[in-house]
Amino acid sequence: TRRSSDLATASRVPVSSDPNELMTAKEVEELLRIDVKTVYSYVQRGLLPYVKIQSNVRFVRSEILKWMEEKQYKPGSRAPRK
């Protein structure tokens, strides 16, 4: 069995049942396990889906999860040629 301290460190990003939950760049950093500077770099380059609320950048949880699924490498599957 897991100790409560193990559960607390297992995931720093709260699991939400709301797919439309807005996340901060820091939360995306923890979810993707990449530096927050990389998150903002992806935003600037148009690589990561985001929502702009005045000067604030937020991320819809379901869109980030969908983006992750689209970027997942699947051995043996090939993208169609264009």
Side-chain angles (χ1 to χ4, degrees), residues 2-20:
R2 291 180 128 176
R3 296 184 316 232
S4 61
S5 62
D6 292 340
L7 293 174
T9 58
S11 175
R12 289 180 223 129
V13 179
V15 176
S16 173
S17 60
D18 180 7
N20 295 316

Side-chain angles (χ1 to χ4, degrees), residues 5-66:
S5 62
D6 292 340
L7 293 174
T9 58
S11 175
R12 289 180 223 129
V13 179
V15 176
S16 173
S17 60
D18 180 7
N20 295 316
E21 175 194 2
L22 290 178
M23 301 172 65
T24 65
K26 190 73 175 164
E27 290 169 326
V28 173
E29 171 190 52
E30 292 176 8
L31 178 66
L32 299 181
R33 294 197 165 98
I34 60 175
D35 191 83
V36 73
K37 291 178 186 174
T38 304
V39 173
Y40 284 119
S41 171
Y42 285 6
V43 166
Q44 286 183 327
R45 294 164 48 201
L47 299 176
L48 197 60
Y50 67 95
V51 176
K52 187 113 180 195
I53 303 171
Q54 293 190 18
S55 63
N56 300 299
V57 175
R58 294 292 180 263
F59 305 87
V60 179
R61 178 178 286 275
S62 62
E63 291 297 316
I64 296 300
L65 295 174
K66 185 167 82 173

Side-chain angles (χ1 to χ4, degrees), residues 73-79:
Y73 174 74
K74 297 173 185 155
S77 66
R78 292 182 173 224

